[in-house]
Amino acid sequence: MIYPLPAALVSCGWSPENYNLITISWTGTVCTNPPMAYISVRPGRHSYDLIKESGEFVINVTTKDIAKETDWCGVKSGRDFDKFKETGLTPLPATVVKAPLVEESPISIECRVKEIISLGSHDMFIADVVNVVADDKYLDPETGTFDLSKSTPLAYSHGHYFALGEAMGRFGHSVQKKKNTKKKKK
């Protein structure tokens, strides 16, 4: 078992009447160039048919602040509840796909299904990433880089949620040469 995983809210549907949210931990990057991501969904889930029919979904990164709503969307069915209404989360129009973004998410990744692979208990939706929307409050104004640690992203591991936050280093920090801080004599 490979844990922890992100606790993402995947939004789907093509109009406010059928918008839905599903909590997914089996999600991630498949390819950088072209940018691709995946989600794995049980065929019996309400969102499965919405995603299969529309061919679109949005992966919304969750945070400590919406942990309760994230869990609720994972245990209740969209067949029985309007999850946006029940949780108070806010659907926003996406830029490219018809599925909504979740306003409270620091990053929303708009996806268009490229392939569906039946794997057993779950089907994997492999998708092209067609747009990424980031909340400006997490962007460095000088560099434009996104600081995910400031958003306290939510992770899932064996039935428990964890808020992540402390950055431990950057890619390559283990081999980075230290700067010489000694002054040269004249």
Side-chain angles (χ1 to χ4, degrees):
M1 306 288 282
I2 302 170
Y3 283 99
L5 298 165
L9 277 173
V10 172
S11 48
C12 54
W14 50 89
S15 70
E17 295 76 35
N18 70 2
Y19 284 168
N20 195 43
L21 294 165
I22 181 173
T23 304
I24 298 279
S25 283
W26 292 351
T27 183
T29 302
V30 176
C31 187
T32 306
N33 190 11
M36 296 173 68
Y38 82 94
I39 59 171
S40 290
V41 184
R42 287 182 185 269
R45 300 289 290 234
H46 179 63
S47 294
Y48 179 93
D49 290 328
L50 293 170
I51 295 167
K52 191 170 182 181
E53 187 174 334
S54 69
E56 300 176 338
F57 59 89
V58 179
I59 300 169
N60 300 279
V61 172
T62 60
T63 66
K64 176 180 162 182
D65 293 339
I66 58 171
K68 183 176 180 180
E69 294 85 348
T70 300
D71 180 63
W72 193 90
C73 288
V75 296
K76 298 294 183 177
S77 174
R79 286 183 185 95
D80 304 322
F81 296 96
D82 176 336
K83 292 184 181 182
F84 279 104
K85 181 180 176 186
E86 295 290 329
T87 61
L89 294 172
T90 312
L92 292 177
T95 305
V96 178
V97 302
K98 291 182 182 170
L101 311 177
V102 174
E103 181 177 28
E104 294 78 7
S105 174
I107 290 217
S108 297
I109 304 162
E110 298 179 48
C111 298
R112 192 163 282 137
V113 176
K114 182 179 180 109
E115 183 178 356
I116 303 170
I117 302 172
S118 183
L119 300 171
S121 64
H122 290 68
D123 286 359
M124 180 186 290
F125 290 83
I126 298 174
D128 291 317
V129 172
V130 295
N131 193 42
V132 177
V133 177
D135 187 330
D136 289 342
K137 72 181 175 184
Y138 302 110
L139 296 178
D140 182 307
E142 292 179 24
T143 65
T145 42
F146 187 82
D147 188 349
L148 191 63
S149 64
K150 286 184 181 176
S151 71
T152 58
L154 201 59
Y156 178 83
S157 182
H158 297 282
H160 300 277
Y161 298 100
F162 297 89
L164 305 178
E166 182 183 355
M168 301 299 295
R170 296 182 64 139
F171 177 75
H173 77 276
S174 63
V175 296
Q176 185 176 1
K177 292 184 180 182
K178 294 183 181 185
K179 291 180 181 179
N180 186 355
T181 57
K182 293 182 182 179
K183 291 184 180 179
K184 293 182 181 180
K185 292 184 181 180
K186 291 186 179 181

